Amino acid sequence: IVTHRWVSDLRQSGKWFGRWENYDCFYDDLGSAEIQQCIDRKNISNIEVKGASVKQMLNRYIEQKLNGIQMVKPTAFSRNIVLDTLKMPHVVWHDAVKEFGNKLDAYGEINNETSEYYFVTGFYFSSEREPHVVVDRSLQFSNLAWKKLTPKGYKMINAFDVTAAFTY
């Protein structure tokens, strides 16, 4: 069995080796009872993760956190939640800024009565991962996503600042 300090069991509390706290704000891991209460209160019938490689990691985490959680029955009034990584860092690696902007233009308006659509910014890269996957391009692509998607009702999850905090 390999035990490594950066590998954590995402389902059991007490085994996470990082804590994010910024002034009076902090991240506190929710248990199953709190998650079920949120699902019921917000009338959530579905949670979907979109993207590429980072999506796979997030999807495994979501699956673990939702193990044993019952979504509400889908109706015309239930909510659909989407978490989209925008295929970062792949678009940072392969796309020109204009090409990425055109992809973002294709995203439609969000009906916030029945949906919540979150997008994740790019990460803070402390070294070049692949050609063009560097901190400046990640920030440029993240800012472009914010400018184009938030006016349409999308909500941003700022992974850039959080990963910068863990980098240094």
mmCIF file of all heavy atoms in Angstrom, residues 67-95:
data_model
loop_
_atom_site.group_PDB
_atom_site.id
_atom_site.type_symbol
_atom_site.label_atom_id
_atom_site.label_comp_id
_atom_site.label_asym_id
_atom_site.label_seq_id
_atom_site.Cartn_x
_atom_site.Cartn_y
_atom_site.Cartn_z
ATOM 1 N N ASN A 67 -22.309 9.792 -2.930
ATOM 2 C CA ASN A 67 -22.605 8.394 -2.634
ATOM 3 C C ASN A 67 -23.651 8.318 -1.515
ATOM 4 O O ASN A 67 -23.450 8.847 -0.430
ATOM 5 C CB ASN A 67 -21.324 7.669 -2.223
ATOM 6 C CG ASN A 67 -21.548 6.192 -1.981
ATOM 7 O OD1 ASN A 67 -22.450 5.596 -2.567
ATOM 8 N ND2 ASN A 67 -20.721 5.613 -1.138
ATOM 9 N N GLY A 68 -24.795 7.717 -1.812
ATOM 10 C CA GLY A 68 -25.882 7.599 -0.839
ATOM 11 C C GLY A 68 -26.821 8.796 -0.810
ATOM 12 O O GLY A 68 -27.807 8.789 -0.069
ATOM 13 N N ILE A 69 -26.558 9.821 -1.588
ATOM 14 C CA ILE A 69 -27.404 11.016 -1.642
ATOM 15 C C ILE A 69 -28.500 10.793 -2.684
ATOM 16 O O ILE A 69 -28.235 10.309 -3.779
ATOM 17 C CB ILE A 69 -26.574 12.270 -2.011
ATOM 18 C CG1 ILE A 69 -25.431 12.486 -1.013
ATOM 19 C CG2 ILE A 69 -27.462 13.503 -2.138
ATOM 20 C CD1 ILE A 69 -25.855 12.756 0.410
ATOM 21 N N GLN A 70 -29.731 11.156 -2.347
ATOM 22 C CA GLN A 70 -30.871 10.999 -3.258
ATOM 23 C C GLN A 70 -31.226 12.344 -3.879
ATOM 24 O O GLN A 70 -31.552 13.288 -3.167
ATOM 25 C CB GLN A 70 -32.087 10.446 -2.505
ATOM 26 C CG GLN A 70 -31.876 9.062 -1.926
ATOM 27 C CD GLN A 70 -31.645 8.035 -3.017
ATOM 28 O OE1 GLN A 70 -32.361 7.986 -4.015
ATOM 29 N NE2 GLN A 70 -30.622 7.211 -2.826
ATOM 30 N N MET A 71 -31.144 12.398 -5.200
ATOM 31 C CA MET A 71 -31.589 13.604 -5.910
ATOM 32 C C MET A 71 -33.115 13.628 -5.897
ATOM 33 O O MET A 71 -33.762 12.594 -5.777
ATOM 34 C CB MET A 71 -31.106 13.588 -7.367
ATOM 35 C CG MET A 71 -29.610 13.606 -7.528
ATOM 36 S SD MET A 71 -28.944 15.167 -7.001
ATOM 37 C CE MET A 71 -27.270 14.711 -6.686
ATOM 38 N N VAL A 72 -33.699 14.818 -6.032
ATOM 39 C CA VAL A 72 -35.150 14.918 -6.108
ATOM 40 C C VAL A 72 -35.607 14.403 -7.473
ATOM 41 O O VAL A 72 -34.823 14.338 -8.423
ATOM 42 C CB VAL A 72 -35.643 16.366 -5.881
ATOM 43 C CG1 VAL A 72 -35.206 16.877 -4.513
ATOM 44 C CG2 VAL A 72 -35.205 17.296 -6.976
ATOM 45 N N LYS A 73 -36.867 14.069 -7.553
ATOM 46 C CA LYS A 73 -37.427 13.599 -8.813
ATOM 47 C C LYS A 73 -37.450 14.755 -9.831
ATOM 48 O O LYS A 73 -37.874 15.863 -9.500
ATOM 49 C CB LYS A 73 -38.855 13.088 -8.582
ATOM 50 C CG LYS A 73 -39.487 12.480 -9.796
ATOM 51 C CD LYS A 73 -40.872 11.958 -9.477
ATOM 52 C CE LYS A 73 -41.493 11.400 -10.738
ATOM 53 N NZ LYS A 73 -42.811 10.849 -10.499
ATOM 54 N N PRO A 74 -36.973 14.506 -11.059
ATOM 55 C CA PRO A 74 -36.987 15.581 -12.061
ATOM 56 C C PRO A 74 -38.409 16.042 -12.381
ATOM 57 O O PRO A 74 -39.299 15.236 -12.627
ATOM 58 C CB PRO A 74 -36.355 14.933 -13.297
ATOM 59 C CG PRO A 74 -35.647 13.726 -12.799
ATOM 60 C CD PRO A 74 -36.377 13.280 -11.567
ATOM 61 N N THR A 75 -38.609 17.337 -12.315
ATOM 62 C CA THR A 75 -39.884 17.952 -12.679
ATOM 63 C C THR A 75 -39.575 19.231 -13.457
ATOM 64 O O THR A 75 -38.413 19.600 -13.623
ATOM 65 C CB THR A 75 -40.720 18.320 -11.431
ATOM 66 O OG1 THR A 75 -40.041 19.374 -10.737
ATOM 67 C CG2 THR A 75 -40.942 17.129 -10.512
ATOM 68 N N ALA A 76 -40.611 19.925 -13.860
ATOM 69 C CA ALA A 76 -40.417 21.209 -14.549
ATOM 70 C C ALA A 76 -39.821 22.257 -13.615
ATOM 71 O O ALA A 76 -39.288 23.265 -14.076
ATOM 72 C CB ALA A 76 -41.752 21.698 -15.109
ATOM 73 N N PHE A 77 -39.889 22.022 -12.307
ATOM 74 C CA PHE A 77 -39.413 23.008 -11.333
ATOM 75 C C PHE A 77 -38.121 22.592 -10.633
ATOM 76 O O PHE A 77 -37.585 23.353 -9.840
ATOM 77 C CB PHE A 77 -40.492 23.274 -10.285
ATOM 78 C CG PHE A 77 -41.783 23.714 -10.892
ATOM 79 C CD1 PHE A 77 -42.862 22.842 -10.980
ATOM 80 C CD2 PHE A 77 -41.920 24.993 -11.421
ATOM 81 C CE1 PHE A 77 -44.058 23.241 -11.563
ATOM 82 C CE2 PHE A 77 -43.104 25.395 -11.999
ATOM 83 C CZ PHE A 77 -44.177 24.519 -12.077
ATOM 84 N N SER A 78 -37.631 21.384 -10.908
ATOM 85 C CA SER A 78 -36.387 20.946 -10.268
ATOM 86 C C SER A 78 -35.189 21.607 -10.955
ATOM 87 O O SER A 78 -35.284 22.089 -12.076
ATOM 88 C CB SER A 78 -36.275 19.420 -10.293
ATOM 89 O OG SER A 78 -36.225 18.943 -11.621
ATOM 90 N N ARG A 79 -34.077 21.618 -10.228
ATOM 91 C CA ARG A 79 -32.891 22.325 -10.719
ATOM 92 C C ARG A 79 -31.840 21.347 -11.246
ATOM 93 O O ARG A 79 -31.590 20.309 -10.658
ATOM 94 C CB ARG A 79 -32.281 23.163 -9.607
ATOM 95 C CG ARG A 79 -33.247 24.215 -9.094
ATOM 96 C CD ARG A 79 -32.654 25.032 -7.983
ATOM 97 N NE ARG A 79 -31.617 25.935 -8.425
ATOM 98 C CZ ARG A 79 -31.839 27.064 -9.094
ATOM 99 N NH1 ARG A 79 -33.058 27.393 -9.432
ATOM 100 N NH2 ARG A 79 -30.851 27.850 -9.424
ATOM 101 N N ASN A 80 -31.199 21.763 -12.335
ATOM 102 C CA ASN A 80 -30.079 21.036 -12.910
ATOM 103 C C ASN A 80 -28.819 21.843 -12.634
ATOM 104 O O ASN A 80 -28.761 23.031 -12.928
ATOM 105 C CB ASN A 80 -30.284 20.863 -14.419
ATOM 106 C CG ASN A 80 -29.182 20.071 -15.056
ATOM 107 O OD1 ASN A 80 -28.777 19.031 -14.547
ATOM 108 N ND2 ASN A 80 -28.681 20.550 -16.176
ATOM 109 N N ILE A 81 -27.803 21.190 -12.075
ATOM 110 C CA ILE A 81 -26.545 21.852 -11.750
ATOM 111 C C ILE A 81 -25.479 21.339 -12.716
ATOM 112 O O ILE A 81 -25.343 20.132 -12.913
ATOM 113 C CB ILE A 81 -26.101 21.551 -10.303
ATOM 114 C CG1 ILE A 81 -27.224 21.849 -9.305
ATOM 115 C CG2 ILE A 81 -24.813 22.292 -9.965
ATOM 116 C CD1 ILE A 81 -27.679 23.272 -9.259
ATOM 117 N N VAL A 82 -24.720 22.256 -13.307
ATOM 118 C CA VAL A 82 -23.637 21.894 -14.217
ATOM 119 C C VAL A 82 -22.346 22.514 -13.705
ATOM 120 O O VAL A 82 -22.314 23.688 -13.339
ATOM 121 C CB VAL A 82 -23.917 22.370 -15.661
ATOM 122 C CG1 VAL A 82 -22.743 22.026 -16.578
ATOM 123 C CG2 VAL A 82 -25.209 21.764 -16.194
ATOM 124 N N LEU A 83 -21.296 21.712 -13.684
ATOM 125 C CA LEU A 83 -19.949 22.171 -13.351
ATOM 126 C C LEU A 83 -19.091 21.918 -14.584
ATOM 127 O O LEU A 83 -18.894 20.773 -14.987
ATOM 128 C CB LEU A 83 -19.405 21.402 -12.143
ATOM 129 C CG LEU A 83 -17.973 21.698 -11.727
ATOM 130 C CD1 LEU A 83 -17.802 23.161 -11.354
ATOM 131 C CD2 LEU A 83 -17.574 20.793 -10.572
ATOM 132 N N ASP A 84 -18.606 22.980 -15.208
ATOM 133 C CA ASP A 84 -17.890 22.888 -16.486
ATOM 134 C C ASP A 84 -16.464 23.409 -16.323
ATOM 135 O O ASP A 84 -16.259 24.551 -15.914
ATOM 136 C CB ASP A 84 -18.636 23.711 -17.543
ATOM 137 C CG ASP A 84 -18.171 23.461 -18.955
ATOM 138 O OD1 ASP A 84 -17.050 22.944 -19.154
ATOM 139 O OD2 ASP A 84 -18.934 23.795 -19.881
ATOM 140 N N THR A 85 -15.483 22.581 -16.666
ATOM 141 C CA THR A 85 -14.078 22.999 -16.593
ATOM 142 C C THR A 85 -13.650 23.746 -17.847
ATOM 143 O O THR A 85 -12.505 24.200 -17.926
ATOM 144 C CB THR A 85 -13.153 21.787 -16.410
ATOM 145 O OG1 THR A 85 -13.176 20.996 -17.593
ATOM 146 C CG2 THR A 85 -13.539 20.964 -15.193
ATOM 147 N N LEU A 86 -14.541 23.883 -18.812
ATOM 148 C CA LEU A 86 -14.263 24.555 -20.085
ATOM 149 C C LEU A 86 -13.103 23.895 -20.833
ATOM 150 O O LEU A 86 -12.482 24.492 -21.690
ATOM 151 C CB LEU A 86 -13.980 26.051 -19.884
ATOM 152 C CG LEU A 86 -15.042 26.854 -19.149
ATOM 153 C CD1 LEU A 86 -14.568 28.293 -18.961
ATOM 154 C CD2 LEU A 86 -16.366 26.798 -19.872
ATOM 155 N N LYS A 87 -12.796 22.667 -20.455
ATOM 156 C CA LYS A 87 -11.698 21.876 -21.033
ATOM 157 C C LYS A 87 -10.329 22.505 -20.808
ATOM 158 O O LYS A 87 -9.398 22.304 -21.580
ATOM 159 C CB LYS A 87 -11.937 21.594 -22.515
ATOM 160 C CG LYS A 87 -13.163 20.743 -22.759
ATOM 161 C CD LYS A 87 -13.301 20.368 -24.209
ATOM 162 C CE LYS A 87 -14.539 19.492 -24.369
ATOM 163 N NZ LYS A 87 -14.754 19.129 -25.761
ATOM 164 N N MET A 88 -10.232 23.287 -19.730
ATOM 165 C CA MET A 88 -8.913 23.800 -19.367
ATOM 166 C C MET A 88 -8.152 22.668 -18.701
ATOM 167 O O MET A 88 -8.747 21.885 -17.994
ATOM 168 C CB MET A 88 -9.051 24.994 -18.430
ATOM 169 C CG MET A 88 -9.666 26.177 -19.141
ATOM 170 S SD MET A 88 -9.048 27.684 -18.475
ATOM 171 C CE MET A 88 -10.290 28.834 -19.026
ATOM 172 N N PRO A 89 -6.865 22.492 -18.881
ATOM 173 C CA PRO A 89 -5.912 23.348 -19.576
ATOM 174 C C PRO A 89 -5.769 23.041 -21.074
ATOM 175 O O PRO A 89 -4.961 23.670 -21.751
ATOM 176 C CB PRO A 89 -4.597 23.057 -18.853
ATOM 177 C CG PRO A 89 -4.716 21.631 -18.462
ATOM 178 C CD PRO A 89 -6.185 21.442 -18.123
ATOM 179 N N HIS A 90 -6.541 22.099 -21.597
ATOM 180 C CA HIS A 90 -6.386 21.699 -23.006
ATOM 181 C C HIS A 90 -6.601 22.860 -23.973
ATOM 182 O O HIS A 90 -5.863 22.991 -24.947
ATOM 183 C CB HIS A 90 -7.324 20.534 -23.337
ATOM 184 C CG HIS A 90 -7.050 19.340 -22.479
ATOM 185 N ND1 HIS A 90 -6.023 18.467 -22.740
ATOM 186 C CD2 HIS A 90 -7.635 18.911 -21.328
ATOM 187 C CE1 HIS A 90 -5.997 17.526 -21.790
ATOM 188 N NE2 HIS A 90 -6.967 17.778 -20.928
ATOM 189 N N VAL A 91 -7.597 23.710 -23.706
ATOM 190 C CA VAL A 91 -7.829 24.848 -24.606
ATOM 191 C C VAL A 91 -6.683 25.849 -24.516
ATOM 192 O O VAL A 91 -6.324 26.478 -25.519
ATOM 193 C CB VAL A 91 -9.193 25.531 -24.349
ATOM 194 C CG1 VAL A 91 -10.342 24.612 -24.716
ATOM 195 C CG2 VAL A 91 -9.318 26.015 -22.916
ATOM 196 N N VAL A 92 -6.092 25.990 -23.329
ATOM 197 C CA VAL A 92 -4.945 26.884 -23.164
ATOM 198 C C VAL A 92 -3.771 26.363 -23.996
ATOM 199 O O VAL A 92 -3.018 27.128 -24.587
ATOM 200 C CB VAL A 92 -4.556 27.021 -21.672
ATOM 201 C CG1 VAL A 92 -3.312 27.862 -21.491
ATOM 202 C CG2 VAL A 92 -5.714 27.596 -20.865
ATOM 203 N N TRP A 93 -3.644 25.058 -24.046
ATOM 204 C CA TRP A 93 -2.556 24.405 -24.775
ATOM 205 C C TRP A 93 -2.768 24.497 -26.292
ATOM 206 O O TRP A 93 -1.866 24.853 -27.035
ATOM 207 C CB TRP A 93 -2.466 22.962 -24.323
ATOM 208 C CG TRP A 93 -1.402 22.105 -24.940
ATOM 209 C CD1 TRP A 93 -0.337 22.507 -25.716
ATOM 210 C CD2 TRP A 93 -1.282 20.703 -24.807
ATOM 211 N NE1 TRP A 93 0.432 21.441 -26.086
ATOM 212 C CE2 TRP A 93 -0.130 20.298 -25.535
ATOM 213 C CE3 TRP A 93 -2.026 19.735 -24.152
ATOM 214 C CZ2 TRP A 93 0.288 18.977 -25.613
ATOM 215 C CZ3 TRP A 93 -1.601 18.413 -24.231
ATOM 216 C CH2 TRP A 93 -0.465 18.046 -24.957
ATOM 217 N N HIS A 94 -3.979 24.210 -26.744
ATOM 218 C CA HIS A 94 -4.218 24.012 -28.168
ATOM 219 C C HIS A 94 -4.880 25.177 -28.901
ATOM 220 O O HIS A 94 -4.736 25.288 -30.114
ATOM 221 C CB HIS A 94 -5.089 22.765 -28.387
ATOM 222 C CG HIS A 94 -4.433 21.495 -27.940
ATOM 223 N ND1 HIS A 94 -3.371 20.939 -28.600
ATOM 224 C CD2 HIS A 94 -4.693 20.689 -26.878
ATOM 225 C CE1 HIS A 94 -2.996 19.831 -27.981
ATOM 226 N NE2 HIS A 94 -3.782 19.653 -26.934
ATOM 227 N N ASP A 95 -5.641 26.015 -28.207
ATOM 228 C CA ASP A 95 -6.449 27.030 -28.883
ATOM 229 C C ASP A 95 -5.786 28.407 -28.856
ATOM 230 O O ASP A 95 -5.114 28.755 -27.885
ATOM 231 C CB ASP A 95 -7.826 27.161 -28.219
ATOM 232 C CG ASP A 95 -8.704 25.947 -28.434
ATOM 233 O OD1 ASP A 95 -8.279 24.994 -29.115
ATOM 234 O OD2 ASP A 95 -9.828 25.953 -27.897
#
